[in-house]
Amino acid sequence: MEETNVLFSIGPVQITSTLTTMWVIILILTVLSILATRKLKDVPGPLQNIAEMAVESLQNYFAGIMGAKTAKKYFPIFATFFIFIVVCNYSGLLPGAGHLKGFAVPTACLSVTAALGIVAFFTTHTIGIRERGLGHYLKTFIMPFFIMLPLNLIEQIVRPFSLALRLYGNLYGEEMVLEQLYNLFPILLPLLMNVLSLIFCLIQAMVFTMLLGIYVSEAAEE
Amino acid sequence: MASGTIALAVAIMMGLCVCGPAIAQGMVASKAMESIARQPEAAGNIRISLILALSLIEALTIYGLLIAFMLVSKI
């Protein structure tokens, strides 16, 4: 999967369709957020209105998971995760995804989701250390007993794997199922899966950020 | 010989992989409906946690599906 869609390479770095799609998504999101926040007004225009609504509902969502204080303090990273994953997932619904050169769903590639998982891993521990101090944070690994240390360590190491594999598996599996359905009966049958994936794309992003929120709130509080 | 064994393994694995999470999802859904019937005003909260729990359970099947794809590509 990952080897076939190499477009060109700069030195040892291979530029794949996944990467170019990600660049486009990053560019679009950046331009949109700059446009939405450039001239802030009391009576918002349509773009500012959408941005305000998105930020407000995301803030409420994260506040429900980990409490208003932590959610507000670390809002940027959670919102970035959520918005990026949602847009990546939904890019698979555009016509031509995976077939056109330079256009493949980023989150259906294990490297991308693994990177997201690793960032999530370091986010959790950085926030934990910042909130509680290094000594106190390390002490939580041997809470309630010292014997729990290996279990806690294994749990911490498994987390990024499960985050990455869940996202990758869902998106990749969805694409494969779609392809099989298309081979079975090309008219209307893939549409069923597309309707389902409209829901699943959002839910997967929600699950990723919710798990990250739970990990962070676990690391940041007693 | 080897590819036949792999095909059989994939078939058995997918069957088992679907069975476990299916039972779990059934239990989750029945409990959620029970609680909505008991407390209709909490339906919104229950629905969100229901969907999240279902998708967490679904991930287990997806792990199996991934392994199945890997095995099928080896046939």
Side-chain angles (χ1 to χ4, degrees), chain A residues 129-165:
Chain A
I129 291 169
R130 267 184 68 170
E131 290 288 307
R132 297 162 88 153
L134 185 59
H136 276 279
Y137 183 62
L138 288 181
K139 216 183 258 173
T140 57
F141 287 107
I142 54 169
M143 290 306 262
F145 318 106
F146 183 72
I147 231 158
M148 299 291 278
L149 178 66
L151 278 181
N152 282 334
L153 284 182
I154 289 172
E155 195 195 345
Q156 296 293 336
I157 292 166
V158 163
R159 277 173 181 179
F161 282 100
S162 77
L163 277 180
L165 278 181

PDB file of all heavy atoms in Angstrom, chain A residues 129-165:
ATOM      1  N   ILE A 129       3.901  15.844  33.440  1.00  0.00           N
ATOM      2  CA  ILE A 129       5.063  16.381  34.157  1.00  0.00           C
ATOM      3  C   ILE A 129       4.864  17.849  34.457  1.00  0.00           C
ATOM      4  O   ILE A 129       5.191  18.338  35.548  1.00  0.00           O
ATOM      5  CB  ILE A 129       6.345  16.137  33.336  1.00  0.00           C
ATOM      6  CG1 ILE A 129       6.661  14.649  33.319  1.00  0.00           C
ATOM      7  CG2 ILE A 129       7.516  16.897  33.930  1.00  0.00           C
ATOM      8  CD1 ILE A 129       7.726  14.255  32.347  1.00  0.00           C
ATOM      9  N   ARG A 130       4.291  18.592  33.509  1.00  0.00           N
ATOM     10  CA  ARG A 130       4.084  20.021  33.729  1.00  0.00           C
ATOM     11  C   ARG A 130       3.101  20.283  34.850  1.00  0.00           C
ATOM     12  O   ARG A 130       3.247  21.235  35.621  1.00  0.00           O
ATOM     13  CB  ARG A 130       3.559  20.684  32.448  1.00  0.00           C
ATOM     14  CG  ARG A 130       4.661  21.244  31.595  1.00  0.00           C
ATOM     15  CD  ARG A 130       4.102  21.954  30.404  1.00  0.00           C
ATOM     16  NE  ARG A 130       3.401  23.163  30.772  1.00  0.00           N
ATOM     17  CZ  ARG A 130       2.994  24.047  29.871  1.00  0.00           C
ATOM     18  NH1 ARG A 130       3.216  23.840  28.598  1.00  0.00           N
ATOM     19  NH2 ARG A 130       2.358  25.131  30.245  1.00  0.00           N
ATOM     20  N   GLU A 131       2.071  19.450  34.954  1.00  0.00           N
ATOM     21  CA  GLU A 131       1.033  19.708  35.949  1.00  0.00           C
ATOM     22  C   GLU A 131       1.457  19.279  37.347  1.00  0.00           C
ATOM     23  O   GLU A 131       1.063  19.890  38.325  1.00  0.00           O
ATOM     24  CB  GLU A 131      -0.255  18.977  35.566  1.00  0.00           C
ATOM     25  CG  GLU A 131      -0.960  19.543  34.348  1.00  0.00           C
ATOM     26  CD  GLU A 131      -1.608  20.879  34.645  1.00  0.00           C
ATOM     27  OE1 GLU A 131      -2.371  20.952  35.616  1.00  0.00           O
ATOM     28  OE2 GLU A 131      -1.340  21.832  33.890  1.00  0.00           O
ATOM     29  N   ARG A 132       2.251  18.213  37.440  1.00  0.00           N
ATOM     30  CA  ARG A 132       2.510  17.643  38.760  1.00  0.00           C
ATOM     31  C   ARG A 132       3.963  17.678  39.171  1.00  0.00           C
ATOM     32  O   ARG A 132       4.281  17.348  40.307  1.00  0.00           O
ATOM     33  CB  ARG A 132       2.055  16.187  38.778  1.00  0.00           C
ATOM     34  CG  ARG A 132       0.581  16.045  38.569  1.00  0.00           C
ATOM     35  CD  ARG A 132       0.259  14.663  38.168  1.00  0.00           C
ATOM     36  NE  ARG A 132       0.046  13.823  39.330  1.00  0.00           N
ATOM     37  CZ  ARG A 132      -0.724  12.754  39.304  1.00  0.00           C
ATOM     38  NH1 ARG A 132      -1.314  12.408  38.205  1.00  0.00           N
ATOM     39  NH2 ARG A 132      -0.878  12.015  40.365  1.00  0.00           N
ATOM     40  N   GLY A 133       4.872  18.048  38.254  1.00  0.00           N
ATOM     41  CA  GLY A 133       6.294  17.978  38.588  1.00  0.00           C
ATOM     42  C   GLY A 133       6.814  16.572  38.329  1.00  0.00           C
ATOM     43  O   GLY A 133       6.080  15.597  38.442  1.00  0.00           O
ATOM     44  N   LEU A 134       8.102  16.475  37.986  1.00  0.00           N
ATOM     45  CA  LEU A 134       8.667  15.198  37.530  1.00  0.00           C
ATOM     46  C   LEU A 134       8.564  14.117  38.597  1.00  0.00           C
ATOM     47  O   LEU A 134       8.102  13.005  38.338  1.00  0.00           O
ATOM     48  CB  LEU A 134      10.123  15.408  37.113  1.00  0.00           C
ATOM     49  CG  LEU A 134      10.837  14.205  36.506  1.00  0.00           C
ATOM     50  CD1 LEU A 134      10.106  13.735  35.271  1.00  0.00           C
ATOM     51  CD2 LEU A 134      12.267  14.573  36.166  1.00  0.00           C
ATOM     52  N   GLY A 135       8.963  14.463  39.829  1.00  0.00           N
ATOM     53  CA  GLY A 135       8.981  13.460  40.891  1.00  0.00           C
ATOM     54  C   GLY A 135       7.598  12.912  41.183  1.00  0.00           C
ATOM     55  O   GLY A 135       7.378  11.704  41.229  1.00  0.00           O
ATOM     56  N   HIS A 136       6.642  13.833  41.323  1.00  0.00           N
ATOM     57  CA  HIS A 136       5.276  13.413  41.629  1.00  0.00           C
ATOM     58  C   HIS A 136       4.705  12.570  40.503  1.00  0.00           C
ATOM     59  O   HIS A 136       3.989  11.599  40.735  1.00  0.00           O
ATOM     60  CB  HIS A 136       4.390  14.642  41.841  1.00  0.00           C
ATOM     61  CG  HIS A 136       4.477  15.184  43.223  1.00  0.00           C
ATOM     62  ND1 HIS A 136       3.787  14.647  44.273  1.00  0.00           N
ATOM     63  CD2 HIS A 136       5.195  16.210  43.725  1.00  0.00           C
ATOM     64  CE1 HIS A 136       4.076  15.314  45.369  1.00  0.00           C
ATOM     65  NE2 HIS A 136       4.938  16.277  45.066  1.00  0.00           N
ATOM     66  N   TYR A 137       5.047  12.971  39.257  1.00  0.00           N
ATOM     67  CA  TYR A 137       4.493  12.250  38.121  1.00  0.00           C
ATOM     68  C   TYR A 137       5.048  10.831  38.070  1.00  0.00           C
ATOM     69  O   TYR A 137       4.322   9.868  37.856  1.00  0.00           O
ATOM     70  CB  TYR A 137       4.789  12.982  36.811  1.00  0.00           C
ATOM     71  CG  TYR A 137       4.168  12.300  35.634  1.00  0.00           C
ATOM     72  CD1 TYR A 137       2.787  12.170  35.557  1.00  0.00           C
ATOM     73  CD2 TYR A 137       4.942  11.767  34.630  1.00  0.00           C
ATOM     74  CE1 TYR A 137       2.195  11.533  34.504  1.00  0.00           C
ATOM     75  CE2 TYR A 137       4.369  11.120  33.566  1.00  0.00           C
ATOM     76  CZ  TYR A 137       2.994  11.006  33.507  1.00  0.00           C
ATOM     77  OH  TYR A 137       2.414  10.351  32.473  1.00  0.00           O
ATOM     78  N   LEU A 138       6.383  10.706  38.303  1.00  0.00           N
ATOM     79  CA  LEU A 138       6.977   9.368  38.259  1.00  0.00           C
ATOM     80  C   LEU A 138       6.430   8.497  39.383  1.00  0.00           C
ATOM     81  O   LEU A 138       6.324   7.295  39.251  1.00  0.00           O
ATOM     82  CB  LEU A 138       8.507   9.465  38.369  1.00  0.00           C
ATOM     83  CG  LEU A 138       9.187  10.019  37.126  1.00  0.00           C
ATOM     84  CD1 LEU A 138      10.686  10.058  37.323  1.00  0.00           C
ATOM     85  CD2 LEU A 138       8.855   9.161  35.912  1.00  0.00           C
ATOM     86  N   LYS A 139       6.069   9.150  40.497  1.00  0.00           N
ATOM     87  CA  LYS A 139       5.540   8.381  41.615  1.00  0.00           C
ATOM     88  C   LYS A 139       4.212   7.705  41.279  1.00  0.00           C
ATOM     89  O   LYS A 139       3.894   6.664  41.840  1.00  0.00           O
ATOM     90  CB  LYS A 139       5.373   9.312  42.823  1.00  0.00           C
ATOM     91  CG  LYS A 139       5.682   8.632  44.149  1.00  0.00           C
ATOM     92  CD  LYS A 139       5.424   9.554  45.294  1.00  0.00           C
ATOM     93  CE  LYS A 139       6.713  10.146  45.827  1.00  0.00           C
ATOM     94  NZ  LYS A 139       6.451  11.177  46.840  1.00  0.00           N
ATOM     95  N   THR A 140       3.464   8.302  40.341  1.00  0.00           N
ATOM     96  CA  THR A 140       2.161   7.693  40.029  1.00  0.00           C
ATOM     97  C   THR A 140       2.327   6.321  39.396  1.00  0.00           C
ATOM     98  O   THR A 140       1.399   5.526  39.410  1.00  0.00           O
ATOM     99  CB  THR A 140       1.353   8.564  39.061  1.00  0.00           C
ATOM    100  OG1 THR A 140       2.135   8.756  37.878  1.00  0.00           O
ATOM    101  CG2 THR A 140       1.008   9.882  39.663  1.00  0.00           C
ATOM    102  N   PHE A 141       3.490   6.045  38.834  1.00  0.00           N
ATOM    103  CA  PHE A 141       3.663   4.734  38.211  1.00  0.00           C
ATOM    104  C   PHE A 141       3.774   3.620  39.248  1.00  0.00           C
ATOM    105  O   PHE A 141       3.531   2.466  38.934  1.00  0.00           O
ATOM    106  CB  PHE A 141       4.915   4.720  37.321  1.00  0.00           C
ATOM    107  CG  PHE A 141       4.723   5.501  36.063  1.00  0.00           C
ATOM    108  CD1 PHE A 141       5.334   6.719  35.890  1.00  0.00           C
ATOM    109  CD2 PHE A 141       3.917   5.014  35.063  1.00  0.00           C
ATOM    110  CE1 PHE A 141       5.142   7.446  34.748  1.00  0.00           C
ATOM    111  CE2 PHE A 141       3.721   5.727  33.908  1.00  0.00           C
ATOM    112  CZ  PHE A 141       4.332   6.946  33.755  1.00  0.00           C
ATOM    113  N   ILE A 142       4.188   3.970  40.489  1.00  0.00           N
ATOM    114  CA  ILE A 142       4.280   2.922  41.501  1.00  0.00           C
ATOM    115  C   ILE A 142       3.164   3.071  42.533  1.00  0.00           C
ATOM    116  O   ILE A 142       3.212   2.469  43.588  1.00  0.00           O
ATOM    117  CB  ILE A 142       5.654   2.917  42.208  1.00  0.00           C
ATOM    118  CG1 ILE A 142       5.964   4.297  42.774  1.00  0.00           C
ATOM    119  CG2 ILE A 142       6.743   2.484  41.255  1.00  0.00           C
ATOM    120  CD1 ILE A 142       7.148   4.289  43.692  1.00  0.00           C
ATOM    121  N   MET A 143       2.137   3.868  42.187  1.00  0.00           N
ATOM    122  CA  MET A 143       0.947   3.908  43.044  1.00  0.00           C
ATOM    123  C   MET A 143       0.197   2.614  42.835  1.00  0.00           C
ATOM    124  O   MET A 143       0.479   1.940  41.959  1.00  0.00           O
ATOM    125  CB  MET A 143       0.079   5.085  42.650  1.00  0.00           C
ATOM    126  CG  MET A 143       0.690   6.400  43.017  1.00  0.00           C
ATOM    127  SD  MET A 143       1.128   6.491  44.738  1.00  0.00           S
ATOM    128  CE  MET A 143      -0.271   7.354  45.368  1.00  0.00           C
ATOM    129  N   PRO A 144      -0.710   2.115  43.441  1.00  0.00           N
ATOM    130  CA  PRO A 144      -0.808   1.942  44.894  1.00  0.00           C
ATOM    131  C   PRO A 144       0.337   1.110  45.455  1.00  0.00           C
ATOM    132  O   PRO A 144       0.757   1.346  46.560  1.00  0.00           O
ATOM    133  CB  PRO A 144      -2.137   1.207  45.052  1.00  0.00           C
ATOM    134  CG  PRO A 144      -2.498   0.730  43.697  1.00  0.00           C
ATOM    135  CD  PRO A 144      -1.825   1.605  42.724  1.00  0.00           C
ATOM    136  N   PHE A 145       0.888   0.156  44.674  1.00  0.00           N
ATOM    137  CA  PHE A 145       2.003  -0.640  45.184  1.00  0.00           C
ATOM    138  C   PHE A 145       3.141  -0.586  44.193  1.00  0.00           C
ATOM    139  O   PHE A 145       2.957  -0.293  43.028  1.00  0.00           O
ATOM    140  CB  PHE A 145       1.616  -2.115  45.378  1.00  0.00           C
ATOM    141  CG  PHE A 145       0.277  -2.303  45.971  1.00  0.00           C
ATOM    142  CD1 PHE A 145      -0.780  -2.735  45.189  1.00  0.00           C
ATOM    143  CD2 PHE A 145       0.055  -2.027  47.306  1.00  0.00           C
ATOM    144  CE1 PHE A 145      -2.020  -2.895  45.732  1.00  0.00           C
ATOM    145  CE2 PHE A 145      -1.191  -2.187  47.845  1.00  0.00           C
ATOM    146  CZ  PHE A 145      -2.239  -2.623  47.063  1.00  0.00           C
ATOM    147  N   PHE A 146       4.333  -0.953  44.655  1.00  0.00           N
ATOM    148  CA  PHE A 146       5.477  -0.977  43.760  1.00  0.00           C
ATOM    149  C   PHE A 146       5.327  -2.050  42.700  1.00  0.00           C
ATOM    150  O   PHE A 146       5.819  -1.917  41.586  1.00  0.00           O
ATOM    151  CB  PHE A 146       6.763  -1.230  44.565  1.00  0.00           C
ATOM    152  CG  PHE A 146       7.986  -1.187  43.714  1.00  0.00           C
ATOM    153  CD1 PHE A 146       8.449   0.026  43.223  1.00  0.00           C
ATOM    154  CD2 PHE A 146       8.654  -2.343  43.362  1.00  0.00           C
ATOM    155  CE1 PHE A 146       9.561   0.061  42.410  1.00  0.00           C
ATOM    156  CE2 PHE A 146       9.774  -2.299  42.549  1.00  0.00           C
ATOM    157  CZ  PHE A 146      10.224  -1.091  42.073  1.00  0.00           C
ATOM    158  N   ILE A 147       4.574  -3.088  43.045  1.00  0.00           N
ATOM    159  CA  ILE A 147       4.436  -4.240  42.146  1.00  0.00           C
ATOM    160  C   ILE A 147       3.679  -3.873  40.873  1.00  0.00           C
ATOM    161  O   ILE A 147       3.762  -4.561  39.853  1.00  0.00           O
ATOM    162  CB  ILE A 147       3.731  -5.377  42.914  1.00  0.00           C
ATOM    163  CG1 ILE A 147       4.546  -6.659  42.778  1.00  0.00           C
ATOM    164  CG2 ILE A 147       2.346  -5.629  42.446  1.00  0.00           C
ATOM    165  CD1 ILE A 147       4.268  -7.651  43.848  1.00  0.00           C
ATOM    166  N   MET A 148       2.967  -2.733  40.896  1.00  0.00           N
ATOM    167  CA  MET A 148       2.194  -2.327  39.732  1.00  0.00           C
ATOM    168  C   MET A 148       3.056  -1.704  38.636  1.00  0.00           C
ATOM    169  O   MET A 148       2.559  -1.422  37.558  1.00  0.00           O
ATOM    170  CB  MET A 148       1.127  -1.300  40.134  1.00  0.00           C
ATOM    171  CG  MET A 148       0.141  -1.807  41.120  1.00  0.00           C
ATOM    172  SD  MET A 148      -0.907  -3.037  40.413  1.00  0.00           S
ATOM    173  CE  MET A 148      -2.090  -1.994  39.582  1.00  0.00           C
ATOM    174  N   LEU A 149       4.348  -1.479  38.920  1.00  0.00           N
ATOM    175  CA  LEU A 149       5.201  -0.749  37.976  1.00  0.00           C
ATOM    176  C   LEU A 149       5.234  -1.375  36.577  1.00  0.00           C
ATOM    177  O   LEU A 149       4.973  -0.676  35.593  1.00  0.00           O
ATOM    178  CB  LEU A 149       6.616  -0.626  38.547  1.00  0.00           C
ATOM    179  CG  LEU A 149       7.628   0.076  37.646  1.00  0.00           C
ATOM    180  CD1 LEU A 149       7.259   1.523  37.453  1.00  0.00           C
ATOM    181  CD2 LEU A 149       9.023  -0.021  38.222  1.00  0.00           C
ATOM    182  N   PRO A 150       5.530  -2.676  36.426  1.00  0.00           N
ATOM    183  CA  PRO A 150       5.562  -3.223  35.066  1.00  0.00           C
ATOM    184  C   PRO A 150       4.215  -3.117  34.361  1.00  0.00           C
ATOM    185  O   PRO A 150       4.173  -2.780  33.166  1.00  0.00           O
ATOM    186  CB  PRO A 150       5.964  -4.691  35.269  1.00  0.00           C
ATOM    187  CG  PRO A 150       5.958  -4.944  36.706  1.00  0.00           C
ATOM    188  CD  PRO A 150       5.973  -3.656  37.415  1.00  0.00           C
ATOM    189  N   LEU A 151       3.139  -3.334  35.084  1.00  0.00           N
ATOM    190  CA  LEU A 151       1.805  -3.233  34.474  1.00  0.00           C
ATOM    191  C   LEU A 151       1.562  -1.833  33.946  1.00  0.00           C
ATOM    192  O   LEU A 151       1.117  -1.639  32.810  1.00  0.00           O
ATOM    193  CB  LEU A 151       0.729  -3.577  35.503  1.00  0.00           C
ATOM    194  CG  LEU A 151       0.463  -5.052  35.733  1.00  0.00           C
ATOM    195  CD1 LEU A 151      -0.631  -5.219  36.756  1.00  0.00           C
ATOM    196  CD2 LEU A 151       0.080  -5.719  34.436  1.00  0.00           C
ATOM    197  N   ASN A 152       1.881  -0.823  34.791  1.00  0.00           N
ATOM    198  CA  ASN A 152       1.672   0.560  34.362  1.00  0.00           C
ATOM    199  C   ASN A 152       2.519   0.903  33.155  1.00  0.00           C
ATOM    200  O   ASN A 152       2.055   1.568  32.229  1.00  0.00           O
ATOM    201  CB  ASN A 152       2.023   1.514  35.512  1.00  0.00           C
ATOM    202  CG  ASN A 152       0.918   1.564  36.534  1.00  0.00           C
ATOM    203  OD1 ASN A 152      -0.232   1.317  36.193  1.00  0.00           O
ATOM    204  ND2 ASN A 152       1.255   1.863  37.763  1.00  0.00           N
ATOM    205  N   LEU A 153       3.788   0.421  33.167  1.00  0.00           N
ATOM    206  CA  LEU A 153       4.661   0.724  32.036  1.00  0.00           C
ATOM    207  C   LEU A 153       4.121   0.107  30.755  1.00  0.00           C
ATOM    208  O   LEU A 153       4.079   0.760  29.707  1.00  0.00           O
ATOM    209  CB  LEU A 153       6.076   0.198  32.315  1.00  0.00           C
ATOM    210  CG  LEU A 153       6.890   1.037  33.294  1.00  0.00           C
ATOM    211  CD1 LEU A 153       8.274   0.461  33.442  1.00  0.00           C
ATOM    212  CD2 LEU A 153       6.962   2.479  32.820  1.00  0.00           C
ATOM    213  N   ILE A 154       3.687  -1.148  30.836  1.00  0.00           N
ATOM    214  CA  ILE A 154       3.146  -1.812  29.650  1.00  0.00           C
ATOM    215  C   ILE A 154       1.922  -1.052  29.141  1.00  0.00           C
ATOM    216  O   ILE A 154       1.759  -0.825  27.946  1.00  0.00           O
ATOM    217  CB  ILE A 154       2.787  -3.275  29.967  1.00  0.00           C
ATOM    218  CG1 ILE A 154       4.065  -4.080  30.152  1.00  0.00           C
ATOM    219  CG2 ILE A 154       1.952  -3.891  28.855  1.00  0.00           C
ATOM    220  CD1 ILE A 154       3.831  -5.472  30.659  1.00  0.00           C
ATOM    221  N   GLU A 155       1.082  -0.618  30.086  1.00  0.00           N
ATOM    222  CA  GLU A 155      -0.119   0.116  29.689  1.00  0.00           C
ATOM    223  C   GLU A 155       0.257   1.384  28.920  1.00  0.00           C
ATOM    224  O   GLU A 155      -0.328   1.690  27.887  1.00  0.00           O
ATOM    225  CB  GLU A 155      -0.918   0.463  30.942  1.00  0.00           C
ATOM    226  CG  GLU A 155      -2.334   0.898  30.647  1.00  0.00           C
ATOM    227  CD  GLU A 155      -2.966   1.558  31.841  1.00  0.00           C
ATOM    228  OE1 GLU A 155      -2.424   1.436  32.953  1.00  0.00           O
ATOM    229  OE2 GLU A 155      -3.987   2.221  31.641  1.00  0.00           O
ATOM    230  N   GLN A 156       1.282   2.097  29.451  1.00  0.00           N
ATOM    231  CA  GLN A 156       1.690   3.336  28.782  1.00  0.00           C
ATOM    232  C   GLN A 156       2.218   3.068  27.382  1.00  0.00           C
ATOM    233  O   GLN A 156       1.994   3.845  26.456  1.00  0.00           O
ATOM    234  CB  GLN A 156       2.772   4.053  29.591  1.00  0.00           C
ATOM    235  CG  GLN A 156       2.332   4.532  30.945  1.00  0.00           C
ATOM    236  CD  GLN A 156       1.311   5.626  30.869  1.00  0.00           C
ATOM    237  OE1 GLN A 156       1.246   6.328  29.880  1.00  0.00           O
ATOM    238  NE2 GLN A 156       0.491   5.751  31.888  1.00  0.00           N
ATOM    239  N   ILE A 157       2.960   1.943  27.230  1.00  0.00           N
ATOM    240  CA  ILE A 157       3.572   1.671  25.929  1.00  0.00           C
ATOM    241  C   ILE A 157       2.529   1.194  24.922  1.00  0.00           C
ATOM    242  O   ILE A 157       2.617   1.502  23.733  1.00  0.00           O
ATOM    243  CB  ILE A 157       4.718   0.648  26.097  1.00  0.00           C
ATOM    244  CG1 ILE A 157       5.857   1.305  26.879  1.00  0.00           C
ATOM    245  CG2 ILE A 157       5.238   0.173  24.764  1.00  0.00           C
ATOM    246  CD1 ILE A 157       6.863   0.343  27.386  1.00  0.00           C
ATOM    247  N   VAL A 158       1.538   0.471  25.407  1.00  0.00           N
ATOM    248  CA  VAL A 158       0.523  -0.062  24.492  1.00  0.00           C
ATOM    249  C   VAL A 158      -0.366   1.042  23.934  1.00  0.00           C
ATOM    250  O   VAL A 158      -0.843   0.947  22.807  1.00  0.00           O
ATOM    251  CB  VAL A 158      -0.312  -1.144  25.232  1.00  0.00           C
ATOM    252  CG1 VAL A 158      -1.599  -1.425  24.513  1.00  0.00           C
ATOM    253  CG2 VAL A 158       0.487  -2.409  25.361  1.00  0.00           C
ATOM    254  N   ARG A 159      -0.543   2.118  24.725  1.00  0.00           N
ATOM    255  CA  ARG A 159      -1.497   3.160  24.329  1.00  0.00           C
ATOM    256  C   ARG A 159      -1.279   3.734  22.935  1.00  0.00           C
ATOM    257  O   ARG A 159      -2.229   3.764  22.141  1.00  0.00           O
ATOM    258  CB  ARG A 159      -1.487   4.286  25.347  1.00  0.00           C
ATOM    259  CG  ARG A 159      -2.370   3.973  26.521  1.00  0.00           C
ATOM    260  CD  ARG A 159      -2.206   5.018  27.573  1.00  0.00           C
ATOM    261  NE  ARG A 159      -3.022   4.722  28.730  1.00  0.00           N
ATOM    262  CZ  ARG A 159      -3.037   5.482  29.802  1.00  0.00           C
ATOM    263  NH1 ARG A 159      -2.289   6.549  29.856  1.00  0.00           N
ATOM    264  NH2 ARG A 159      -3.804   5.174  30.815  1.00  0.00           N
ATOM    265  N   PRO A 160      -0.072   4.222  22.583  1.00  0.00           N
ATOM    266  CA  PRO A 160       0.071   4.769  21.230  1.00  0.00           C
ATOM    267  C   PRO A 160      -0.188   3.733  20.143  1.00  0.00           C
ATOM    268  O   PRO A 160      -0.778   4.069  19.100  1.00  0.00           O
ATOM    269  CB  PRO A 160       1.514   5.270  21.183  1.00  0.00           C
ATOM    270  CG  PRO A 160       2.177   4.680  22.344  1.00  0.00           C
ATOM    271  CD  PRO A 160       1.147   4.432  23.364  1.00  0.00           C
ATOM    272  N   PHE A 161       0.195   2.469  20.409  1.00  0.00           N
ATOM    273  CA  PHE A 161      -0.073   1.426  19.419  1.00  0.00           C
ATOM    274  C   PHE A 161      -1.568   1.281  19.185  1.00  0.00           C
ATOM    275  O   PHE A 161      -2.033   1.204  18.057  1.00  0.00           O
ATOM    276  CB  PHE A 161       0.501   0.087  19.888  1.00  0.00           C
ATOM    277  CG  PHE A 161       1.973  -0.031  19.704  1.00  0.00           C
ATOM    278  CD1 PHE A 161       2.826   0.167  20.758  1.00  0.00           C
ATOM    279  CD2 PHE A 161       2.498  -0.322  18.468  1.00  0.00           C
ATOM    280  CE1 PHE A 161       4.187   0.077  20.595  1.00  0.00           C
ATOM    281  CE2 PHE A 161       3.858  -0.419  18.281  1.00  0.00           C
ATOM    282  CZ  PHE A 161       4.704  -0.218  19.355  1.00  0.00           C
ATOM    283  N   SER A 162      -2.328   1.228  20.280  1.00  0.00           N
ATOM    284  CA  SER A 162      -3.758   0.997  20.110  1.00  0.00           C
ATOM    285  C   SER A 162      -4.413   2.197  19.448  1.00  0.00           C
ATOM    286  O   SER A 162      -5.299   2.041  18.600  1.00  0.00           O
ATOM    287  CB  SER A 162      -4.413   0.659  21.440  1.00  0.00           C
ATOM    288  OG  SER A 162      -4.596   1.807  22.212  1.00  0.00           O
ATOM    289  N   LEU A 163      -3.961   3.413  19.812  1.00  0.00           N
ATOM    290  CA  LEU A 163      -4.517   4.602  19.158  1.00  0.00           C
ATOM    291  C   LEU A 163      -4.266   4.560  17.660  1.00  0.00           C
ATOM    292  O   LEU A 163      -5.178   4.764  16.845  1.00  0.00           O
ATOM    293  CB  LEU A 163      -3.870   5.867  19.722  1.00  0.00           C
ATOM    294  CG  LEU A 163      -4.407   6.440  21.020  1.00  0.00           C
ATOM    295  CD1 LEU A 163      -3.619   7.679  21.383  1.00  0.00           C
ATOM    296  CD2 LEU A 163      -5.854   6.787  20.894  1.00  0.00           C
ATOM    297  N   ALA A 164      -3.002   4.261  17.290  1.00  0.00           N
ATOM    298  CA  ALA A 164      -2.642   4.288  15.873  1.00  0.00           C
ATOM    299  C   ALA A 164      -3.354   3.187  15.115  1.00  0.00           C
ATOM    300  O   ALA A 164      -3.916   3.426  14.038  1.00  0.00           O
ATOM    301  CB  ALA A 164      -1.134   4.138  15.731  1.00  0.00           C
ATOM    302  N   LEU A 165      -3.353   1.975  15.682  1.00  0.00           N
ATOM    303  CA  LEU A 165      -3.935   0.851  14.955  1.00  0.00           C
ATOM    304  C   LEU A 165      -5.441   0.996  14.808  1.00  0.00           C
ATOM    305  O   LEU A 165      -6.014   0.599  13.802  1.00  0.00           O
ATOM    306  CB  LEU A 165      -3.617  -0.457  15.666  1.00  0.00           C
ATOM    307  CG  LEU A 165      -2.237  -1.012  15.363  1.00  0.00           C
ATOM    308  CD1 LEU A 165      -2.024  -2.318  16.096  1.00  0.00           C
ATOM    309  CD2 LEU A 165      -2.088  -1.249  13.871  1.00  0.00           C
TER     310      LEU A 165
END
